Amino acid sequence: MTATSTTRPTTFTDLLTARQSAAVALAAPERAPLSYADLARLAETCRDHLNGRGIGRGDRVAIVLPNGPEMAAAFIAIGASATTCPLNPAYRAEEFAFYLDDLGAKALVLAAGSDSPAGDVARERGIEIIELASEKTAAAGSFSLGGGGGGSAIAAERPGPAEADDVALILHTSGTTSRPKIVPLTHANLLASAGHISATLSLGPEDRCLNVMPLFHIHGLIAAVLSSLYAGGSIFCSPGFNALRFMAWLKEAAPSWYTAVPTMHQAILARGQRQPEAASAAKLRFVRSSSASLPPQTMQAVEALFGCPVIESYGMTEASHQMASNQLPPGLRKAGSVGRPAGPEVRLLVEDGSLTAAPGPVGEVVIRGPNVTAGYESNPKANAESFLQDDGGPWFRTGDQGQFDEDGLLTITGRLKEIINRGGEKISPREVDEILLDHPAIAQAVTFAMPHDKLGEEVAAAVVLAEGEAVEERALKDFLAGRLADFKVPRRILFLEEIPKGATGKLQRIGLAQKLGLG
């Protein structure tokens, strides 16, 4: 099934049965590849096993597995007949307790022999544990399911392959400023987004993605795994991001592209610039960036390193990932922009309450389309706040502030909750970040709000110095003062060895002042 096929898949089963062939679906370091035919058979075996244990369509299966081909295969194979709920393996017992309770999980999938605290939490709650066993000598992603003492005596209420309107994936929002919200995404949502990404990137059977994104996150699951399968291509699944091993994986995998968040691109740059021959030998067709704003300086440096275009895209969980994207050459591609709408409809909700895609006005980004969730689960308050009703269908309010230019490309000017309000003066952290990164001594920068007793909020920044560089705080402030209004210049600049990041590698501005002792 390629992105140009006339029959578009709307379920995982559609996707796999359309390509029961010897073509490679999954690969991994030092492993034999897994074919599409093998992945389709694995999904059938999973369905029989789950149905035999009373688990079927709509039943929620939490998955706690390390990154790698088995996690990718489990997402597809289990999702073909039940609802997958991937969880971060690094969670503590208290976090697993919250998520398993909130999800109402019917079963938990763990690697055989795992000592994850998720197992203890599940046993305390009477949640069935399914053990996933895999052999390192077997094809990448192949596994068997077992454990649980012989299975359930109760037949699955809804057996068989999942349908387009069934929920395939449940993820939680980050919950940075409130209780995490449950985001249900149907097969139709996910396949629509995979199709949009595949079309945007002109993916085909000859393409291979090197995945370094965590597979409990929408970016890795949809942008890397599902879009590749939609196009009939393959995914080389790393065991997790590791800048020190990245160049070796490039050589082994021979991918045509990879996708990552900006902090990963920056770490790859730091290593890759020491191995320019390895980078140029990679022969990447393009590099993709998403899930956070990509500094133009990083984009230009990555393009110079690999000799290929960097395509910045705009995504979030509620949209099954992709909303907008820059284009491959000769299409339009602008540093600092997230490109044109690439799947759903995209508008700006401006101050007078109207919706527009005209160049110039700044407003909140709103979206609607086949890839967008129908709403948060069991959260009427959040749904009322997050959706605008309209005769043509509801619009989802992203919480991002943006602006269209004359060419119809969208620039994200900030996260509404992250905009710094300094006594009524509004500052976009991203604007300050990009000027900091223009200083030759700065490798990474993140601007954020810190509390102020009179102004409410004041501007602060944290930076990581480039290797071998040195600069004083006063000199940095003077540098910024030459290019920014005085009220935008950070009153505090902290020098760090590493900037704290979230589980997916994204910089997190909200709460950073408290983490760094400024709150």
Side-chain angles (χ1 to χ4, degrees), residues 68 78 101 105 130 169 176 192 241 244 248 277 332 349 360 382 402 506:
I78 294 171
D101 288 345
I130 299 173
L169 173 65
T176 306
F241 180 67
L244 299 178
E277 300 85 2
L332 274 177
L349 174 64
K506 292 165 63 174

Side-chain angles (χ1 to χ4, degrees), residues 46 141 216 226 241 247 256 259 261 292 337 372 388 413:
C46 269
F216 54 81
L226 201 61
F241 180 67
M247 290 298 167
S256 56
T259 184
V261 297
S337 162
V372 181
L388 290 175
T413 53

Side-chain angles (χ1 to χ4, degrees), residues 245-283:
R245 299 177 64 187
F246 185 81
M247 290 298 167
W249 288 335
L250 277 181
K251 183 177 181 180
E252 181 181 355
S256 56
W257 66 292
Y258 78 89
T259 184
V261 297
T263 54
M264 291 179 180
H265 293 305
Q266 290 167 336
I268 290 165
L269 271 175
R271 298 297 305 178
Q273 287 170 342
R274 302 175 192 174
Q275 302 171 269
E277 300 85 2
S280 61
K283 307 299 182 189

Side-chain angles (χ1 to χ4, degrees), residues 493-508:
I493 300 177
L494 303 182
F495 293 84
L496 305 178
E497 291 294 321
E498 183 177 0
I499 295 171
K501 303 176 184 69
T504 59
K506 292 165 63 174
L507 299 175
Q508 296 183 315

Side-chain angles (χ1 to χ4, degrees), residues 19-26 33-39 205 208 232-234:
R19 291 197 61 83
Q20 291 197 25
S21 70
V24 172
L26 298 176
L34 187 78
S35 71
Y36 274 86
D38 290 336
L39 185 55
R208 170 168 290 184
S234 60

Side-chain angles (χ1 to χ4, degrees), residues 64 91-98 100-101 108-111 113-131:
V64 179
Y91 283 152
R92 299 180 186 276
E94 294 80 3
E95 292 166 306
F96 282 125
F98 168 81
L100 291 174
D101 288 345
L108 167 68
V109 173
L110 289 174
S114 169
D115 60 358
S116 169
D120 294 331
V121 172
R123 279 184 281 271
E124 288 171 3
R125 284 155 173 73
I127 296 171
E128 186 164 5
I129 295 175
I130 299 173
E131 293 187 344

Side-chain angles (χ1 to χ4, degrees), residues 348-351 354 356-364 401-405 410-411 413:
L348 299 179
L349 174 64
V350 294
E351 197 169 352
S354 63
T356 182
V362 174
E364 182 180 4
Q401 184 186 77
Q403 182 178 36
F404 283 104
D405 69 9
L410 177 67
T411 295
T413 53

